Amino acid sequence: GKTQRQLAHMSNKHLSGRQIEKRMGRGPKAIVSKGGGGGHNWGDELDTNVIETDPTAGLPGKLDATPQKTTTEEEPNYRTYEEYRASLAKALLAEKENTKTEDDIERTFFDGFKTADLLKMMGEAKPLHCIKNTSTVEEALSELAKHKVQALPVEDANGDVLGIISASDLVMAVVLAPLIRKHGEGVEKKELTADDMKAVLKNKGVFETPVGKLLGVTEESRTLWDFWDDGDLRDIAFRLSHGPHKVMVYSRDEKQPVRIRMVSQTDVMRFIQKEMKNNSALAKCFAQPIGKFNITGKKAPITIKSTETALEGFLHLWTGCTKGNDFMVAAEPVLDAKGELVATLSASDIRGLTKDNMKDLMLPVVDFLKKRSGTAMLRKQEVVSTNFPLGQAIDKILGAGIHRLWIVGEGEAGVNKKVAGVMSFTDIIRKISKYNIAHHHKS
């Protein structure tokens, strides 16, 4: 069956095969948390069989191209030799068209790869670094900053993983919760007033809230996706291209000292990069410009002015999400008075915030970012145009240790700083998961 299963409780301890089968052998069901920050009530089961199986399903004008075979007991009675030759030529042409060569067979990047291939590239498994569900929000922000990560698994007193807490969940708790309490779900339509900002600053008690109570406040922490280590890598790629940034992978081998690992989008991107370097056919395919892959889409990203406060910027990350889901926008470009890119504000920039320095949220976003980084300079922004080769873009994004590249236009003086789109890990993995590389496999 499918390897995509969600568990409320997964152990980071050495479990027996019987215990693993009991936990993982529930079939294609998803156990999810009831969101809203009201605790972690696990147990609602959702059927996950309705996962995309045919990317072309529902497209207008899709035709049944299955060749229709006809049989007859007797040979046709040709009246002339020329008629026979014409019929033979037609039959040979039809046979050629209906016979797919290796070049014709649809093949995507992840076909044939196993999750074990990714784990091998990642190296030796290390004990999972978790945070207790009783740890406070302030402790979680400190841990994220200390380890320079964007998410941490949350475990209970028994060492069972309950979910993954991310910077987005903490933005929800610190910035959005007081505004939602004040204005309801329509907060995204309101202009922030001085009273709104005071409400956020008075929300210091949230820093003492146990992180276990935040599991489920966003879509990403509402579900815990796990996979067997002997499954197909394309299943993990599919999941990481539809919202979540991290999944858990569980080993079937009881002799393994560490039987649970967290796999991130960065890990999958590094695997793509490795295969691209080792395979000349893939390198040729990825040498094509970004624009040919249609990765970035047509919707312009949400932006924030450099003079707006960091608080307003974090609010934009929530209001900019797609209607109908709770996946926050991960980042937004910061634009100066000329409309040019000067910085990036992401959910991870809330790391290290405490009840004693939360007044920094009222700073202009550029000053907030400088203070968070501890320098007087803003980080250099990595940009590309749609004419930039995809392979080089992947090298650029991983080399800079970031999760997205801003797409900018080109003018007479070369690449400008006017943001026209964004290309994130999610965008790249989603496109590569579906892109047919069969026609580009020759070196």
Side-chain angles (χ1 to χ4, degrees), residues 404-422:
R404 68 200 59 80
L405 290 171
W406 299 114
I407 306 298
V408 296
E410 291 185 322
E412 294 181 359
V415 174
N416 61 41
K417 293 185 178 180
K418 299 283 187 178
V419 177
V422 62

Side-chain angles (χ1 to χ4, degrees), residues 36 39 43 121 128 131 142 180 222 285 322 347 355 416:
M121 181 215 68
L128 198 62
I131 189 170
S142 176
I180 292 176
R222 192 166 299 156
C285 176
T322 303
K355 57 180 175 290
N416 61 41

Side-chain angles (χ1 to χ4, degrees), residues 4-6 30 48 223-227 239 244 246-248:
Q4 294 155 304
R5 305 185 180 107
Q6 298 165 304
T48 59
T223 57
L224 179 62
W225 288 94
D226 69 88
F227 300 80
R239 185 47 48 203
K246 300 178 186 296
V247 298
M248 311 305 291

